[in-house]
Amino acid sequence: MRYERPDTMKAATKLLAKEKGRAFVLAGGTDLLVRMRTGFVEPDLIIDIKGISATRAIEKNGGGFRIGAAVSGAELGEHAALKKAWPGVVEAANLIGSKQVQGRATMVGNLCNASPAADSVPALVAAKAKVVVVGRNSRRKVPVEEIPTGPGKTSLKKGEIVESLILPKRPPKSGDAYLRFIPRTEMDIAVVGVGVSLTLGKGGVVKDARVALGAVGPTVIVVPDAAKAIIGTKMDGKAMNALAEACSAACRPIDDKRGTKEFRTKVAGVLARRAAQIARQRAGGK
Ligand SMILES: Cc1cc2nc3c(=O)[nH]c(=O)nc-3n(C[C@H](O)[C@H](O)[C@H](O)COP(=O)(O)OP(=O)(O)OC[C@H]3O[C@@H](n4cnc5c(N)ncnc54)[C@H](O)[C@@H]3O)c2cc1C
């Protein structure tokens, strides 16, 4: 097994494209190293991207943010402007693992690992985040929800690396939130996760909204009917019931030791309601 630590994306994509065996990008390693230790993967080549400056920074970008693919959860949590603009995205990333894991784990690693229960992904999808995907001779921007295609599978082609995440500019009076249910208080895998992002208009009426569910399908589920249920309302009881029902109806969960299909379906509605209320408060709504 070879370990390489290139200092440019060009060198990294060249190494990846040329490799005949199994090649893996290493960001924080909190998924990859565990999978190697347990014998699930045996890489021929590991490309550590932490030496590439483009993957290490959080920058303002056209009113939004550009977050390098190797930025850790701890670094996100210490970035005041990012936390102010996208508290839901940062709280989702900061739910991953423990203090030790936070020092390494990245949102892009969470996305590319393609677990249906990945915590940061529903929040990123609700935020309409995109990733910049770089190949040997290509560069494209892809909505986050188009990266995972099923458990452990992504749409990335051979030789491609995610360089960064793009969070869009926030209109005034916007807020987001992420909530998950886990059987323990921390260090567990989401049974259900819900990301909500919304913008309020005149009189506190919801102008725009996006709702995304995690751990209740093979990939994150965007629920347009849940957004429609609250857009044009002040999130009164009827609208909130409709939001919860739309989320439950969209679930396609499995039964496992953490939760039954019925439990996951019900909890998706309950969490969506709570996350939407938090997002509304953060947007300045009463
Ligand atoms: C103790 C523990 C607790 C955990 N708790 C949680 C939790 O609560 N919630 C949760 O969602 N996850 C949890 N995880 C899983 C893991 O920490 C997260 O998925 C984390 O975000 C992965 O990020 P990473 O940078 O460490 O990824 P890595 O392990 O470096 O990479 C993960 C995968 O993505 C690929 N990859 C990484 N970066 C790129 C890139 N830039 N371009 C292309 N491919 C790339 C890698 O090749 C690999 O296949 C936990 C893990 C541990 C060990």
PDB file of all heavy atoms in Angstrom, residues 174-208:
ATOM      1  N   SER A 174     -33.272  34.347   7.422  1.00  0.00           N
ATOM      2  CA  SER A 174     -33.191  32.925   7.108  1.00  0.00           C
ATOM      3  C   SER A 174     -32.654  32.167   8.318  1.00  0.00           C
ATOM      4  O   SER A 174     -31.907  32.718   9.129  1.00  0.00           O
ATOM      5  CB  SER A 174     -32.237  32.700   5.932  1.00  0.00           C
ATOM      6  OG  SER A 174     -32.755  33.293   4.775  1.00  0.00           O
ATOM      7  N   GLY A 175     -33.010  30.915   8.426  1.00  0.00           N
ATOM      8  CA  GLY A 175     -32.502  30.084   9.522  1.00  0.00           C
ATOM      9  C   GLY A 175     -32.505  28.630   9.104  1.00  0.00           C
ATOM     10  O   GLY A 175     -33.265  28.236   8.221  1.00  0.00           O
ATOM     11  N   ASP A 176     -31.639  27.841   9.732  1.00  0.00           N
ATOM     12  CA  ASP A 176     -31.666  26.405   9.464  1.00  0.00           C
ATOM     13  C   ASP A 176     -31.416  25.634  10.756  1.00  0.00           C
ATOM     14  O   ASP A 176     -30.985  26.211  11.762  1.00  0.00           O
ATOM     15  CB  ASP A 176     -30.664  26.007   8.366  1.00  0.00           C
ATOM     16  CG  ASP A 176     -29.214  26.127   8.795  1.00  0.00           C
ATOM     17  OD1 ASP A 176     -28.903  26.977   9.649  1.00  0.00           O
ATOM     18  OD2 ASP A 176     -28.372  25.369   8.275  1.00  0.00           O
ATOM     19  N   ALA A 177     -31.748  24.349  10.718  1.00  0.00           N
ATOM     20  CA  ALA A 177     -31.583  23.508  11.920  1.00  0.00           C
ATOM     21  C   ALA A 177     -31.466  22.052  11.497  1.00  0.00           C
ATOM     22  O   ALA A 177     -31.975  21.658  10.439  1.00  0.00           O
ATOM     23  CB  ALA A 177     -32.789  23.684  12.841  1.00  0.00           C
ATOM     24  N   TYR A 178     -30.773  21.285  12.332  1.00  0.00           N
ATOM     25  CA  TYR A 178     -30.678  19.833  12.112  1.00  0.00           C
ATOM     26  C   TYR A 178     -30.937  19.136  13.439  1.00  0.00           C
ATOM     27  O   TYR A 178     -30.369  19.504  14.468  1.00  0.00           O
ATOM     28  CB  TYR A 178     -29.288  19.439  11.589  1.00  0.00           C
ATOM     29  CG  TYR A 178     -29.133  17.933  11.470  1.00  0.00           C
ATOM     30  CD1 TYR A 178     -29.710  17.241  10.410  1.00  0.00           C
ATOM     31  CD2 TYR A 178     -28.449  17.201  12.444  1.00  0.00           C
ATOM     32  CE1 TYR A 178     -29.592  15.854  10.312  1.00  0.00           C
ATOM     33  CE2 TYR A 178     -28.332  15.812  12.350  1.00  0.00           C
ATOM     34  CZ  TYR A 178     -28.908  15.156  11.278  1.00  0.00           C
ATOM     35  OH  TYR A 178     -28.810  13.787  11.184  1.00  0.00           O
ATOM     36  N   LEU A 179     -31.788  18.140  13.411  1.00  0.00           N
ATOM     37  CA  LEU A 179     -32.038  17.313  14.598  1.00  0.00           C
ATOM     38  C   LEU A 179     -31.953  15.855  14.200  1.00  0.00           C
ATOM     39  O   LEU A 179     -32.336  15.480  13.096  1.00  0.00           O
ATOM     40  CB  LEU A 179     -33.443  17.576  15.161  1.00  0.00           C
ATOM     41  CG  LEU A 179     -33.695  18.909  15.860  1.00  0.00           C
ATOM     42  CD1 LEU A 179     -35.171  19.009  16.245  1.00  0.00           C
ATOM     43  CD2 LEU A 179     -32.821  19.079  17.103  1.00  0.00           C
ATOM     44  N   ARG A 180     -31.460  15.026  15.119  1.00  0.00           N
ATOM     45  CA  ARG A 180     -31.448  13.589  14.843  1.00  0.00           C
ATOM     46  C   ARG A 180     -31.964  12.848  16.074  1.00  0.00           C
ATOM     47  O   ARG A 180     -31.908  13.380  17.187  1.00  0.00           O
ATOM     48  CB  ARG A 180     -30.039  13.103  14.515  1.00  0.00           C
ATOM     49  CG  ARG A 180     -29.105  13.126  15.711  1.00  0.00           C
ATOM     50  CD  ARG A 180     -27.757  12.497  15.431  1.00  0.00           C
ATOM     51  NE  ARG A 180     -26.923  12.544  16.616  1.00  0.00           N
ATOM     52  CZ  ARG A 180     -25.676  12.121  16.685  1.00  0.00           C
ATOM     53  NH1 ARG A 180     -25.083  11.625  15.622  1.00  0.00           N
ATOM     54  NH2 ARG A 180     -24.986  12.185  17.801  1.00  0.00           N
ATOM     55  N   PHE A 181     -32.444  11.646  15.851  1.00  0.00           N
ATOM     56  CA  PHE A 181     -32.776  10.783  16.977  1.00  0.00           C
ATOM     57  C   PHE A 181     -31.747   9.672  17.027  1.00  0.00           C
ATOM     58  O   PHE A 181     -31.498   9.006  16.006  1.00  0.00           O
ATOM     59  CB  PHE A 181     -34.181  10.173  16.834  1.00  0.00           C
ATOM     60  CG  PHE A 181     -34.476   9.226  17.962  1.00  0.00           C
ATOM     61  CD1 PHE A 181     -34.997   9.693  19.156  1.00  0.00           C
ATOM     62  CD2 PHE A 181     -34.170   7.876  17.864  1.00  0.00           C
ATOM     63  CE1 PHE A 181     -35.215   8.832  20.228  1.00  0.00           C
ATOM     64  CE2 PHE A 181     -34.386   7.011  18.931  1.00  0.00           C
ATOM     65  CZ  PHE A 181     -34.907   7.484  20.111  1.00  0.00           C
ATOM     66  N   ILE A 182     -31.149   9.485  18.209  1.00  0.00           N
ATOM     67  CA  ILE A 182     -30.264   8.328  18.430  1.00  0.00           C
ATOM     68  C   ILE A 182     -30.661   7.673  19.752  1.00  0.00           C
ATOM     69  O   ILE A 182     -31.149   8.355  20.654  1.00  0.00           O
ATOM     70  CB  ILE A 182     -28.759   8.717  18.449  1.00  0.00           C
ATOM     71  CG1 ILE A 182     -28.469   9.844  19.458  1.00  0.00           C
ATOM     72  CG2 ILE A 182     -28.266   9.078  17.077  1.00  0.00           C
ATOM     73  CD1 ILE A 182     -26.986  10.109  19.670  1.00  0.00           C
ATOM     74  N   PRO A 183     -30.476   6.346  19.882  1.00  0.00           N
ATOM     75  CA  PRO A 183     -30.863   5.680  21.123  1.00  0.00           C
ATOM     76  C   PRO A 183     -30.039   6.134  22.337  1.00  0.00           C
ATOM     77  O   PRO A 183     -30.507   6.083  23.457  1.00  0.00           O
ATOM     78  CB  PRO A 183     -30.612   4.195  20.837  1.00  0.00           C
ATOM     79  CG  PRO A 183     -30.544   4.092  19.342  1.00  0.00           C
ATOM     80  CD  PRO A 183     -30.033   5.406  18.852  1.00  0.00           C
ATOM     81  N   ARG A 184     -28.779   6.558  22.113  1.00  0.00           N
ATOM     82  CA  ARG A 184     -27.957   7.035  23.224  1.00  0.00           C
ATOM     83  C   ARG A 184     -27.898   8.555  23.156  1.00  0.00           C
ATOM     84  O   ARG A 184     -28.482   9.171  22.279  1.00  0.00           O
ATOM     85  CB  ARG A 184     -26.549   6.458  23.104  1.00  0.00           C
ATOM     86  CG  ARG A 184     -26.560   4.958  23.047  1.00  0.00           C
ATOM     87  CD  ARG A 184     -25.190   4.388  23.237  1.00  0.00           C
ATOM     88  NE  ARG A 184     -24.292   4.719  22.154  1.00  0.00           N
ATOM     89  CZ  ARG A 184     -23.056   4.205  22.050  1.00  0.00           C
ATOM     90  NH1 ARG A 184     -22.613   3.374  22.959  1.00  0.00           N
ATOM     91  NH2 ARG A 184     -22.275   4.530  21.042  1.00  0.00           N
ATOM     92  N   THR A 185     -27.163   9.186  24.082  1.00  0.00           N
ATOM     93  CA  THR A 185     -27.113  10.651  24.044  1.00  0.00           C
ATOM     94  C   THR A 185     -26.082  11.153  23.035  1.00  0.00           C
ATOM     95  O   THR A 185     -26.181  12.264  22.536  1.00  0.00           O
ATOM     96  CB  THR A 185     -26.786  11.241  25.431  1.00  0.00           C
ATOM     97  OG1 THR A 185     -25.627  10.567  25.907  1.00  0.00           O
ATOM     98  CG2 THR A 185     -27.936  11.063  26.382  1.00  0.00           C
ATOM     99  N   GLU A 186     -25.049  10.363  22.736  1.00  0.00           N
ATOM    100  CA  GLU A 186     -24.107  10.728  21.674  1.00  0.00           C
ATOM    101  C   GLU A 186     -23.344   9.496  21.213  1.00  0.00           C
ATOM    102  O   GLU A 186     -23.557   8.403  21.719  1.00  0.00           O
ATOM    103  CB  GLU A 186     -23.145  11.838  22.118  1.00  0.00           C
ATOM    104  CG  GLU A 186     -22.357  11.546  23.363  1.00  0.00           C
ATOM    105  CD  GLU A 186     -21.490  12.734  23.737  1.00  0.00           C
ATOM    106  OE1 GLU A 186     -20.401  12.849  23.173  1.00  0.00           O
ATOM    107  OE2 GLU A 186     -21.922  13.532  24.588  1.00  0.00           O
ATOM    108  N   MET A 187     -22.456   9.691  20.221  1.00  0.00           N
ATOM    109  CA  MET A 187     -21.651   8.593  19.665  1.00  0.00           C
ATOM    110  C   MET A 187     -22.528   7.440  19.183  1.00  0.00           C
ATOM    111  O   MET A 187     -22.318   6.296  19.551  1.00  0.00           O
ATOM    112  CB  MET A 187     -20.661   8.075  20.717  1.00  0.00           C
ATOM    113  CG  MET A 187     -19.655   9.087  21.164  1.00  0.00           C
ATOM    114  SD  MET A 187     -18.384   9.349  19.939  1.00  0.00           S
ATOM    115  CE  MET A 187     -17.430   7.885  20.153  1.00  0.00           C
ATOM    116  N   ASP A 188     -23.527   7.768  18.398  1.00  0.00           N
ATOM    117  CA  ASP A 188     -24.385   6.720  17.854  1.00  0.00           C
ATOM    118  C   ASP A 188     -24.809   7.145  16.445  1.00  0.00           C
ATOM    119  O   ASP A 188     -24.604   8.278  16.040  1.00  0.00           O
ATOM    120  CB  ASP A 188     -25.612   6.521  18.749  1.00  0.00           C
ATOM    121  CG  ASP A 188     -26.123   5.088  18.679  1.00  0.00           C
ATOM    122  OD1 ASP A 188     -25.843   4.414  17.668  1.00  0.00           O
ATOM    123  OD2 ASP A 188     -26.804   4.660  19.619  1.00  0.00           O
ATOM    124  N   ILE A 189     -25.411   6.195  15.744  1.00  0.00           N
ATOM    125  CA  ILE A 189     -25.800   6.457  14.345  1.00  0.00           C
ATOM    126  C   ILE A 189     -27.262   6.882  14.303  1.00  0.00           C
ATOM    127  O   ILE A 189     -28.114   6.278  14.962  1.00  0.00           O
ATOM    128  CB  ILE A 189     -25.566   5.177  13.513  1.00  0.00           C
ATOM    129  CG1 ILE A 189     -24.070   4.864  13.497  1.00  0.00           C
ATOM    130  CG2 ILE A 189     -26.102   5.333  12.101  1.00  0.00           C
ATOM    131  CD1 ILE A 189     -23.741   3.493  12.982  1.00  0.00           C
ATOM    132  N   ALA A 190     -27.549   7.910  13.504  1.00  0.00           N
ATOM    133  CA  ALA A 190     -28.915   8.458  13.453  1.00  0.00           C
ATOM    134  C   ALA A 190     -29.934   7.392  13.049  1.00  0.00           C
ATOM    135  O   ALA A 190     -29.712   6.635  12.110  1.00  0.00           O
ATOM    136  CB  ALA A 190     -28.958   9.628  12.477  1.00  0.00           C
ATOM    137  N   VAL A 191     -31.030   7.357  13.794  1.00  0.00           N
ATOM    138  CA  VAL A 191     -32.181   6.513  13.426  1.00  0.00           C
ATOM    139  C   VAL A 191     -33.044   7.311  12.446  1.00  0.00           C
ATOM    140  O   VAL A 191     -33.624   6.766  11.505  1.00  0.00           O
ATOM    141  CB  VAL A 191     -32.972   6.138  14.704  1.00  0.00           C
ATOM    142  CG1 VAL A 191     -34.227   5.373  14.374  1.00  0.00           C
ATOM    143  CG2 VAL A 191     -32.088   5.331  15.641  1.00  0.00           C
ATOM    144  N   VAL A 192     -33.107   8.600  12.681  1.00  0.00           N
ATOM    145  CA  VAL A 192     -33.712   9.568  11.764  1.00  0.00           C
ATOM    146  C   VAL A 192     -32.937  10.878  11.922  1.00  0.00           C
ATOM    147  O   VAL A 192     -32.540  11.221  13.036  1.00  0.00           O
ATOM    148  CB  VAL A 192     -35.197   9.874  12.131  1.00  0.00           C
ATOM    149  CG1 VAL A 192     -35.813  10.823  11.111  1.00  0.00           C
ATOM    150  CG2 VAL A 192     -36.034   8.621  12.238  1.00  0.00           C
ATOM    151  N   GLY A 193     -32.721  11.586  10.827  1.00  0.00           N
ATOM    152  CA  GLY A 193     -32.126  12.927  10.886  1.00  0.00           C
ATOM    153  C   GLY A 193     -32.947  13.856  10.003  1.00  0.00           C
ATOM    154  O   GLY A 193     -33.404  13.436   8.941  1.00  0.00           O
ATOM    155  N   VAL A 194     -33.153  15.092  10.461  1.00  0.00           N
ATOM    156  CA  VAL A 194     -33.951  16.039   9.655  1.00  0.00           C
ATOM    157  C   VAL A 194     -33.234  17.386   9.570  1.00  0.00           C
ATOM    158  O   VAL A 194     -32.881  17.964  10.604  1.00  0.00           O
ATOM    159  CB  VAL A 194     -35.354  16.267  10.269  1.00  0.00           C
ATOM    160  CG1 VAL A 194     -36.177  17.188   9.369  1.00  0.00           C
ATOM    161  CG2 VAL A 194     -36.095  14.960  10.480  1.00  0.00           C
ATOM    162  N   GLY A 195     -33.049  17.873   8.347  1.00  0.00           N
ATOM    163  CA  GLY A 195     -32.507  19.216   8.120  1.00  0.00           C
ATOM    164  C   GLY A 195     -33.594  20.108   7.545  1.00  0.00           C
ATOM    165  O   GLY A 195     -34.310  19.692   6.633  1.00  0.00           O
ATOM    166  N   VAL A 196     -33.712  21.310   8.106  1.00  0.00           N
ATOM    167  CA  VAL A 196     -34.697  22.269   7.592  1.00  0.00           C
ATOM    168  C   VAL A 196     -33.998  23.613   7.405  1.00  0.00           C
ATOM    169  O   VAL A 196     -33.248  24.047   8.282  1.00  0.00           O
ATOM    170  CB  VAL A 196     -35.892  22.465   8.574  1.00  0.00           C
ATOM    171  CG1 VAL A 196     -36.874  23.504   8.031  1.00  0.00           C
ATOM    172  CG2 VAL A 196     -36.621  21.152   8.837  1.00  0.00           C
ATOM    173  N   SER A 197     -34.237  24.234   6.265  1.00  0.00           N
ATOM    174  CA  SER A 197     -33.736  25.589   6.037  1.00  0.00           C
ATOM    175  C   SER A 197     -34.903  26.413   5.530  1.00  0.00           C
ATOM    176  O   SER A 197     -35.666  25.951   4.672  1.00  0.00           O
ATOM    177  CB  SER A 197     -32.612  25.549   4.996  1.00  0.00           C
ATOM    178  OG  SER A 197     -32.187  26.858   4.715  1.00  0.00           O
ATOM    179  N   LEU A 198     -35.080  27.606   6.063  1.00  0.00           N
ATOM    180  CA  LEU A 198     -36.215  28.427   5.612  1.00  0.00           C
ATOM    181  C   LEU A 198     -35.892  29.916   5.661  1.00  0.00           C
ATOM    182  O   LEU A 198     -34.949  30.350   6.330  1.00  0.00           O
ATOM    183  CB  LEU A 198     -37.480  28.105   6.425  1.00  0.00           C
ATOM    184  CG  LEU A 198     -37.441  28.198   7.948  1.00  0.00           C
ATOM    185  CD1 LEU A 198     -37.530  29.636   8.425  1.00  0.00           C
ATOM    186  CD2 LEU A 198     -38.591  27.401   8.547  1.00  0.00           C
ATOM    187  N   THR A 199     -36.697  30.668   4.911  1.00  0.00           N
ATOM    188  CA  THR A 199     -36.575  32.129   4.874  1.00  0.00           C
ATOM    189  C   THR A 199     -37.955  32.723   5.138  1.00  0.00           C
ATOM    190  O   THR A 199     -38.949  32.247   4.568  1.00  0.00           O
ATOM    191  CB  THR A 199     -36.069  32.592   3.486  1.00  0.00           C
ATOM    192  OG1 THR A 199     -34.799  31.959   3.244  1.00  0.00           O
ATOM    193  CG2 THR A 199     -35.891  34.095   3.412  1.00  0.00           C
ATOM    194  N   LEU A 200     -37.988  33.740   5.994  1.00  0.00           N
ATOM    195  CA  LEU A 200     -39.260  34.395   6.290  1.00  0.00           C
ATOM    196  C   LEU A 200     -39.408  35.669   5.478  1.00  0.00           C
ATOM    197  O   LEU A 200     -38.427  36.341   5.164  1.00  0.00           O
ATOM    198  CB  LEU A 200     -39.337  34.746   7.787  1.00  0.00           C
ATOM    199  CG  LEU A 200     -39.203  33.578   8.770  1.00  0.00           C
ATOM    200  CD1 LEU A 200     -39.235  34.096  10.212  1.00  0.00           C
ATOM    201  CD2 LEU A 200     -40.303  32.540   8.554  1.00  0.00           C
ATOM    202  N   GLY A 201     -40.660  35.979   5.148  1.00  0.00           N
ATOM    203  CA  GLY A 201     -40.951  37.227   4.441  1.00  0.00           C
ATOM    204  C   GLY A 201     -41.697  38.180   5.372  1.00  0.00           C
ATOM    205  O   GLY A 201     -41.547  38.111   6.594  1.00  0.00           O
ATOM    206  N   LYS A 202     -42.534  39.036   4.764  1.00  0.00           N
ATOM    207  CA  LYS A 202     -43.279  40.048   5.536  1.00  0.00           C
ATOM    208  C   LYS A 202     -44.183  39.391   6.564  1.00  0.00           C
ATOM    209  O   LYS A 202     -44.842  38.392   6.254  1.00  0.00           O
ATOM    210  CB  LYS A 202     -44.145  40.861   4.582  1.00  0.00           C
ATOM    211  CG  LYS A 202     -43.441  42.055   4.047  1.00  0.00           C
ATOM    212  CD  LYS A 202     -44.435  43.013   3.450  1.00  0.00           C
ATOM    213  CE  LYS A 202     -43.673  44.169   2.842  1.00  0.00           C
ATOM    214  NZ  LYS A 202     -44.349  44.757   1.734  1.00  0.00           N
ATOM    215  N   GLY A 203     -44.232  39.944   7.744  1.00  0.00           N
ATOM    216  CA  GLY A 203     -45.140  39.469   8.788  1.00  0.00           C
ATOM    217  C   GLY A 203     -44.812  38.072   9.293  1.00  0.00           C
ATOM    218  O   GLY A 203     -45.674  37.406   9.865  1.00  0.00           O
ATOM    219  N   GLY A 204     -43.613  37.621   9.039  1.00  0.00           N
ATOM    220  CA  GLY A 204     -43.203  36.304   9.548  1.00  0.00           C
ATOM    221  C   GLY A 204     -43.766  35.141   8.755  1.00  0.00           C
ATOM    222  O   GLY A 204     -43.740  33.990   9.204  1.00  0.00           O
ATOM    223  N   VAL A 205     -44.264  35.427   7.539  1.00  0.00           N
ATOM    224  CA  VAL A 205     -44.784  34.347   6.683  1.00  0.00           C
ATOM    225  C   VAL A 205     -43.597  33.657   5.986  1.00  0.00           C
ATOM    226  O   VAL A 205     -42.674  34.330   5.519  1.00  0.00           O
ATOM    227  CB  VAL A 205     -45.763  34.927   5.624  1.00  0.00           C
ATOM    228  CG1 VAL A 205     -46.144  33.890   4.580  1.00  0.00           C
ATOM    229  CG2 VAL A 205     -47.009  35.465   6.313  1.00  0.00           C
ATOM    230  N   VAL A 206     -43.636  32.328   5.932  1.00  0.00           N
ATOM    231  CA  VAL A 206     -42.518  31.598   5.316  1.00  0.00           C
ATOM    232  C   VAL A 206     -42.522  31.848   3.796  1.00  0.00           C
ATOM    233  O   VAL A 206     -43.524  31.632   3.121  1.00  0.00           O
ATOM    234  CB  VAL A 206     -42.626  30.072   5.598  1.00  0.00           C
ATOM    235  CG1 VAL A 206     -41.471  29.322   4.937  1.00  0.00           C
ATOM    236  CG2 VAL A 206     -42.655  29.798   7.090  1.00  0.00           C
ATOM    237  N   LYS A 207     -41.357  32.323   3.308  1.00  0.00           N
ATOM    238  CA  LYS A 207     -41.232  32.658   1.887  1.00  0.00           C
ATOM    239  C   LYS A 207     -40.636  31.493   1.110  1.00  0.00           C
ATOM    240  O   LYS A 207     -40.978  31.244  -0.034  1.00  0.00           O
ATOM    241  CB  LYS A 207     -40.299  33.874   1.783  1.00  0.00           C
ATOM    242  CG  LYS A 207     -40.608  34.793   0.642  1.00  0.00           C
ATOM    243  CD  LYS A 207     -39.991  36.153   0.862  1.00  0.00           C
ATOM    244  CE  LYS A 207     -38.553  36.193   0.393  1.00  0.00           C
ATOM    245  NZ  LYS A 207     -37.948  37.505   0.493  1.00  0.00           N
ATOM    246  N   ASP A 208     -39.695  30.805   1.746  1.00  0.00           N
ATOM    247  CA  ASP A 208     -39.011  29.706   1.068  1.00  0.00           C
ATOM    248  C   ASP A 208     -38.619  28.669   2.129  1.00  0.00           C
ATOM    249  O   ASP A 208     -38.360  29.040   3.274  1.00  0.00           O
ATOM    250  CB  ASP A 208     -37.749  30.248   0.362  1.00  0.00           C
ATOM    251  CG  ASP A 208     -37.156  29.221  -0.597  1.00  0.00           C
ATOM    252  OD1 ASP A 208     -37.869  28.270  -0.979  1.00  0.00           O
ATOM    253  OD2 ASP A 208     -35.962  29.360  -0.946  1.00  0.00           O
TER     254      ASP A 208
END
